[in-house]
Amino acid sequence: MIYSREWETMLREDLHQLQVERLQMTLNQVYRNVSLYKDLFDEQNIEITDIKSLDDLSRLPLTSKDDLKQSYPYKAFAVPLRDIVRIHSTSGTSGTPIVVGYTKNDLNIWSSLVGRVLSSVGIDSHSLVQIAFDYSQSTGGLGFHYGAEKLGASVIPASGEEVLKQIQIMRDYRSSALISTPGYALHIANVLEKQGIDPQELNLTIGLFGAEPWSEKLRSEIESRLKIKAFDNYGLTEIIGPGVAYECEHRCGLHVSEDHFIVEVIDPKTLEVLPEGEEGELVFTTVTKHAFPLIRYRTGDISKIIPGTCECGRTFRRIARISGRIDDMLIIDGNNIFPSQIEALLFEIEGVEPHFQIILTRVEGFTAIELKVEITPDFFSFDEIKRAEDFKHRIDHYLSTRLGLHAKITLIEPQSLGRTSGEKISRVVDLREE
Ligand SMILES: [Zn+2]
């Protein structure tokens, strides 16, 4: 269902007009209230009154994670603290966290944006929504919580419960929708299997997953094992949290709530804006946030804008599901390689799990690559050694002909790369500096 039809299906030209008006307001606000932006604009001689159309957007400076880290904790806020009613932050696992604030109105907008996401995947006032996201400083738990309540659904804040308790809640309370990371959904499926519980006994029909990159292969695995329909969604704490982009019933990309966020895709090296259809780094400008507006924020997430319109009737453009992180971009002897490219190749080979790790070392000045690949559980039931060798040759052949990569391939047992609740597999271990 379309939650806010008036906005989600508006004519593109009206939407452009709205984006420009809202952008101008935001620019005024950040120039007056956020020294980070005032300094950046002044340094680059940008007159905000010269920004008159969306084409002018690319003249504005980009904002990086480091800019925001240097603003720790409150320097990037555009309103005084007395107007802030909620504070969240990024995990800060790689150093200083980024602290974000919301005014009362920001929270209202946020809940409505999450309402769009939930409606779009079929959640409504009859749904029993089990949220297994963390409710602490990260935005997943509370973001979905208030969105689901706004929709009138019955919300079960199951966050923090261990998996057996999650399953007990799911079965006894008859949860109809699960909101979590895809990795956690898979974990639940594994435990159900171990416990001998048939997913058909559950009332679960919808899974809404996000917060980490996942593939179509993982989607089908989760769907067949939990007997649900699984949807992707996208959001990040710096921009607002969940509610930035969402799949509709056609599941052919994620619609960006463009009345609130202007999306661009840039080449992460040249920083030039890329045309629709080309893969690069996602960049967002917020145009309705009061407490923590961002201009051309570099997300570090890799995606592309999908050309064309969607059958659902929404006019918001779609981005492809996130295929990886810029931070993961490998520069191997002068070539740029994304782990997502390796993942895509592995998908074509039967017998491989969608899980792998790349280990880079330095040998005599050159990069040596080891690729650890998980195999499917039934793999070694056949003629072991010969099959393993054939298999390694095949992977090697794919890598060398398609990506120009030569790697030592190591096959490892299923489930040997850790991935429990919310934990991401680190796909790249770079030991070249050691
Ligand atoms: Zn659609």
Side-chain angles (χ1 to χ4, degrees):
M1 206 196 92
I2 301 184
Y3 180 76
S4 48
R5 184 167 288 277
E6 175 196 2
W7 302 104
E8 290 173 82
T9 62
M10 72 192 291
L11 291 174
R12 292 294 305 176
E13 54 192 84
D14 294 344
L15 180 63
H16 287 163
Q17 186 57 34
L18 181 79
Q19 286 182 317
V20 171
E21 283 165 17
R22 289 180 166 179
L23 173 66
Q24 285 167 337
M25 275 181 349
T26 303
L27 290 174
N28 265 307
Q29 184 198 2
V30 298
Y31 188 76
R32 271 187 285 115
N33 301 323
V34 185
S35 61
L36 164 70
Y37 288 113
K38 184 177 189 310
D39 296 348
L40 277 173
F41 293 179
D42 286 348
E43 251 167 50
Q44 302 185 19
N45 293 318
I46 291 160
E47 290 288 340
I48 48 178
T49 46
D50 289 347
I51 307 299
K52 295 193 176 86
S53 75
L54 293 177
D55 293 333
D56 296 328
L57 188 66
S58 59
R59 294 165 53 192
L60 295 169
L62 292 155
T63 309
S64 69
K65 268 193 178 31
D66 281 338
D67 291 329
L68 298 183
K69 285 178 180 172
Q70 280 161 22
S71 306
Y72 179 84
Y74 301 139
K75 285 203 277 290
F77 284 17
V79 299
L81 272 181
R82 66 170 179 276
D83 295 335
I84 300 284
V85 297
R86 176 95 64 80
I87 292 169
H88 281 287
S89 73
T90 61
S91 63
T93 39
S94 53
T96 316
I98 294 167
V99 180
V100 302
Y102 301 78
T103 63
K104 213 167 230 172
N105 194 47
D106 289 337
L107 287 185
N108 270 331
I109 289 175
W110 187 18
S111 299
S112 303
L113 291 175
V114 172
R116 290 179 183 180
V117 178
L118 301 173
S119 281
S120 180
V121 305
I123 293 171
D124 59 23
S125 60
H126 302 284
S127 305
L128 277 148
V129 180
Q130 180 165 345
I131 300 177
F133 267 124
D134 186 14
Y135 269 60
S136 65
Q137 279 287 277
S138 67
T139 44
L142 286 170
F144 280 115
H145 183 104
Y146 284 102
E149 280 191 357
K150 186 155 189 156
L151 210 61
S154 312
V155 185
I156 310 165
S159 140
E161 300 291 357
E162 53 104 24
V163 66
L164 290 176
K165 180 79 184 185
Q166 294 278 357
I167 288 170
Q168 187 198 342
I169 290 172
M170 196 173 277
R171 191 168 57 176
D172 296 352
Y173 300 4
R174 308 205 54 70
S175 311
S176 61
L178 171 68
I179 301 182
S180 70
T181 62
Y184 196 63
L186 199 58
H187 183 49
I188 289 180
N190 288 337
V191 177
L192 281 174
E193 210 167 275
K194 272 196 198 124
Q195 301 278 310
I197 300 171
D198 180 357
Q200 308 273 32
E201 290 171 31
L202 304 171
N203 198 36
L204 203 65
T205 55
I206 296 168
L208 179 60
F209 306 122
E212 62 190 24
W214 55 310
S215 60
E216 282 304 321
K217 189 168 176 181
L218 184 53
R219 170 160 27 210
S220 353
E221 186 177 345
I222 292 172
E223 290 195 324
S224 70
R225 292 183 59 193
L226 285 180
K227 308 279 183 272
I228 58 172
K229 201 148 189 205
F231 295 88
D232 195 10
N233 79 103
Y234 175 74
L236 67 172
T237 298
E238 300 93 302
I239 300 297
I240 201 163
V244 178
Y246 51 101
E247 278 187 330
C248 64
E249 68 273 26
H250 298 286
R251 303 197 296 183
C252 52
L254 293 83
H255 291 281
V256 175
S257 269
E258 289 185 282
D259 49 343
H260 296 269
F261 312 105
I262 302 178
V263 59
E264 299 170 278
V265 174
I266 63 165
D267 180 318
K269 266 183 136 178
T270 65
L271 309 182
E272 293 295 320
V273 177
L274 295 172
E276 281 188 359
E278 279 189 34
E279 188 163 82
E281 180 177 2
L282 281 177
V283 168
F284 287 98
T285 299
T286 70
V287 291
T288 53
K289 272 170 79 192
H290 281 116
F292 196 76
L294 289 177
I295 307 300
R296 303 194 76 210
Y297 179 66
R298 295 185 63 176
T299 62
D301 291 322
I302 302 160
S303 178
K304 62 185 172 193
I305 295 172
I306 299 171
T309 52
C310 184
E311 281 175 43
C312 71
R314 288 177 183 82
T315 49
F316 293 160
R317 288 186 299 171
R318 292 158 296 157
I319 53 172
R321 53 196 308 156
I322 306 302
S323 62
R325 299 263 323 150
I326 290 294
D327 319 340
D328 288 345
M329 184 175 83
L330 302 171
I331 303 177
I332 296 173
D333 301 334
N335 297 315
N336 294 347
I337 310 253
F338 289 115
S340 56
Q341 293 175 299
I342 294 172
E343 183 179 41
L345 287 186
L346 293 178
F347 280 155
E348 297 175 25
I349 305 174
E350 205 180 319
V352 177
E353 293 278 0
H355 307 301
F356 62 94
Q357 192 172 56
I358 302 158
I359 296 148
L360 302 176
T361 48
R362 186 82 72 188
V363 179
E364 293 171 354
F366 291 98
T367 303
I369 310 163
E370 182 184 3
L371 180 66
K372 288 186 176 174
V373 184
E374 282 188 9
I375 43 145
T376 52
D378 57 349
F379 186 83
F380 281 120
S381 56
F382 296 91
D383 179 9
E384 291 180 23
I385 294 167
K386 185 175 180 312
R387 190 152 179 250
E389 284 308 312
D390 284 353
F391 198 62
K392 285 198 228 174
H393 280 307
R394 263 181 82 196
I395 298 176
D396 188 43
H397 179 72
Y398 267 64
L399 288 176
S400 61
T401 54
R402 311 269 285 276
L403 295 176
L405 272 189
H406 288 283
K408 177 187 171 215
I409 318 280
T410 310
L411 302 180
I412 55 172
E413 286 186 14
Q415 306 285 326
S416 40
L417 298 168
R419 55 180 159 288
T420 48
S421 164
E423 191 189 322
K424 300 170 192 179
I425 297 171
S426 89
R427 282 178 162 175
V428 178
V429 180
D430 194 340
L431 303 173
R432 285 180 293 181
E433 300 301 316
E434 291 179 11

